[in-house]
Amino acid sequence: MKSTWDEKIFYTINYMFLGLAALSCVLPLLHIISLSLSSYQAIVSGHVTLWPQGWTIEAYKALYSGTNMVKAFSNSIVITVVGVVLSMWFTIMAAYPLAKKYFYARRFFTLAIVFTMLFGTPLIPLFLIVKSLGLLDTYGAIWMPGLISAFNMLVLRTFFMNVPEELEEAARMDGCGEWRLLTRIILPLSLPVLATLTLFYGVGYWNSFLHVLMFINDSTRMNLAVMIQQMVASQSILQELNSVRPDDLQQMTPESIKSAGVIVLIVPMLIVYPFLQKYFVKGVMIGAIKG
């Protein structure tokens, strides 16, 4: 079907707007990458824009050898992987029964969860609760407060409610129990929403900042986000590098080191996203019921 002139104009304006929005996100990223890979002379002279000048990886070498970046990176991986597994498990366990009409007091528990979205826990009571549970200086203090996102749980609950009842009835007629129904029927059909929520939780845990600052005092347990923030906000990273690699310090600028730290922080999520992106556009529910 041929598009009308009005539709063509609308599509053109839409594509222009989306293109500008994409550029506003991509151009700053390209500039940061260029700074992290450019030489000292190019950065000081102000010639670095969207393409590295005088290619060098000295900033990344300095982060690797002169800071605790490797330890912070491994801490972030532990926080993210364990946190995502726990959060997804408990989110599924909360959303599945609330999606069933025969679950007693379903409306009450749903409203109680929605209430937590309107009124969050203040920081001081949250800190006192974590301290009373003995979770200070442990990753449990990071996982526990955000174990279940009310918004994510409601999204998953809505998806479970839209699963055709005919599938469940057919499975039960074949002798499928509740647990097997969830793991063998419901969850495989829910891969798109599960992938999306996994990404949401993963980004949240990977970028954990406030809770790490509040509850973790041991510097060896700090994650990458906190280390990068401290590096960007102060010159302590340069002093540390000065004591470790004084001969190479003249080849680097604060901008290149900070940019390298930012790239190290965001690259893992950029790598993970393509593996989950296909589930965002693929409707595995299509064709689930035949006849």
Side-chain angles (χ1 to χ4, degrees), residues 225-290:
V226 173
M227 193 203 83
I228 299 302
Q229 187 277 335
Q230 293 175 348
M231 181 179 65
V232 172
S234 67
Q235 298 296 321
S236 60
I237 183 68
L238 295 180
Q239 296 174 1
E240 188 175 351
L241 290 172
N242 188 29
S243 63
V244 177
R245 302 180 57 182
D247 297 335
D248 295 338
L249 188 64
Q250 60 214 19
Q251 302 176 9
M252 298 174 293
T253 64
E255 290 78 11
S256 64
I257 298 176
K258 294 174 182 178
S259 299
V262 172
I263 295 302
V264 171
L265 178 63
I266 65 177
V267 161
M269 289 296 104
L270 295 179
I271 294 176
V272 170
Y273 178 79
F275 295 98
L276 299 177
Q277 189 267 344
K278 62 179 180 179
Y279 293 108
F280 300 161
V281 296
K282 181 180 179 183
V284 297
M285 289 292 293
I286 298 177
I289 300 179
K290 304 291 184 181

Side-chain angles (χ1 to χ4, degrees), residues 138-262:
T138 67
Y139 292 149
I142 303 173
W143 297 324
M144 188 199 70
L147 191 60
I148 297 180
S149 167
F151 174 79
N152 291 346
M153 193 281 298
L154 292 175
V155 170
L156 187 58
R157 167 184 171 271
T158 303
F159 192 92
F160 285 162
M161 292 175 65
N162 292 329
V163 174
E165 295 182 0
E166 289 83 354
L167 285 176
E168 299 184 23
E169 293 173 359
R172 288 194 173 92
M173 289 179 63
D174 291 336
C176 188
E178 205 70 47
W179 178 253
R180 193 174 181 184
L181 174 65
L182 172 63
T183 57
R184 303 294 293 273
I185 305 296
I186 305 298
L187 293 185
L189 292 174
S190 306
L191 283 181
V193 67
L194 292 178
T196 303
L197 298 185
T198 297
L199 184 62
F200 287 168
Y201 278 125
V203 172
Y205 281 116
W206 183 261
N207 294 327
S208 294
F209 175 74
L210 181 59
H211 286 170
V212 176
L213 281 181
M214 287 178 56
F215 305 131
I216 305 297
N217 297 319
D218 187 356
S219 59
T220 61
R221 292 179 174 269
M222 294 292 183
N223 64 344
L224 194 60
V226 173
M227 193 203 83
I228 299 302
Q229 187 277 335
Q230 293 175 348
M231 181 179 65
V232 172
S234 67
Q235 298 296 321
S236 60
I237 183 68
L238 295 180
Q239 296 174 1
E240 188 175 351
L241 290 172
N242 188 29
S243 63
V244 177
R245 302 180 57 182
D247 297 335
D248 295 338
L249 188 64
Q250 60 214 19
Q251 302 176 9
M252 298 174 293
T253 64
E255 290 78 11
S256 64
I257 298 176
K258 294 174 182 178
S259 299
V262 172

Side-chain angles (χ1 to χ4, degrees), residues 4-210:
T4 64
W5 278 106
D6 292 340
E7 290 176 336
K8 290 180 179 179
I9 294 174
F10 172 77
Y11 291 146
T12 302
I13 296 175
N14 220 6
Y15 290 147
M16 291 176 60
F17 175 78
L18 292 176
L20 291 174
L23 287 176
S24 67
C25 297
V26 173
L27 294 182
L29 178 61
L30 292 178
H31 180 64
I32 293 175
I33 294 175
S34 299
L35 286 176
S36 68
L37 295 173
S38 297
S39 64
Y40 174 84
Q41 293 79 6
I43 296 176
V44 172
S45 61
H47 292 159
V48 180
T49 53
L50 301 179
W51 190 256
Q53 304 293 328
W55 286 72
T56 179
I57 58 172
E58 283 300 318
Y60 294 95
K61 290 181 179 179
L63 283 177
Y64 177 78
S65 61
T67 69
N68 60 344
M69 184 195 69
V70 175
K71 180 63 176 176
F73 191 87
S74 62
N75 292 340
S76 293
I77 292 177
V78 171
I79 293 172
T80 302
V81 173
V82 178
V84 167
V85 171
L86 291 176
S87 292
M88 287 302 299
W89 173 261
F90 282 94
T91 300
I92 293 171
M93 292 297 100
Y96 182 71
L98 292 177
K100 302 304 174 185
K101 297 179 181 178
Y102 53 80
F103 180 68
Y104 179 74
R106 181 181 69 158
R107 181 177 176 82
F108 169 78
F109 287 112
T110 302
L111 292 177
I113 292 173
V114 172
F115 181 82
T116 64
M117 298 175 63
L118 303 176
F119 303 95
T121 306
L123 293 180
I124 294 177
L126 178 61
F127 180 85
L128 295 177
I129 292 173
V130 171
K131 182 179 180 181
S132 64
L133 294 175
L135 295 177
L136 289 180
D137 261 342
T138 67
Y139 292 149
I142 303 173
W143 297 324
M144 188 199 70
L147 191 60
I148 297 180
S149 167
F151 174 79
N152 291 346
M153 193 281 298
L154 292 175
V155 170
L156 187 58
R157 167 184 171 271
T158 303
F159 192 92
F160 285 162
M161 292 175 65
N162 292 329
V163 174
E165 295 182 0
E166 289 83 354
L167 285 176
E168 299 184 23
E169 293 173 359
R172 288 194 173 92
M173 289 179 63
D174 291 336
C176 188
E178 205 70 47
W179 178 253
R180 193 174 181 184
L181 174 65
L182 172 63
T183 57
R184 303 294 293 273
I185 305 296
I186 305 298
L187 293 185
L189 292 174
S190 306
L191 283 181
V193 67
L194 292 178
T196 303
L197 298 185
T198 297
L199 184 62
F200 287 168
Y201 278 125
V203 172
Y205 281 116
W206 183 261
N207 294 327
S208 294
F209 175 74
L210 181 59

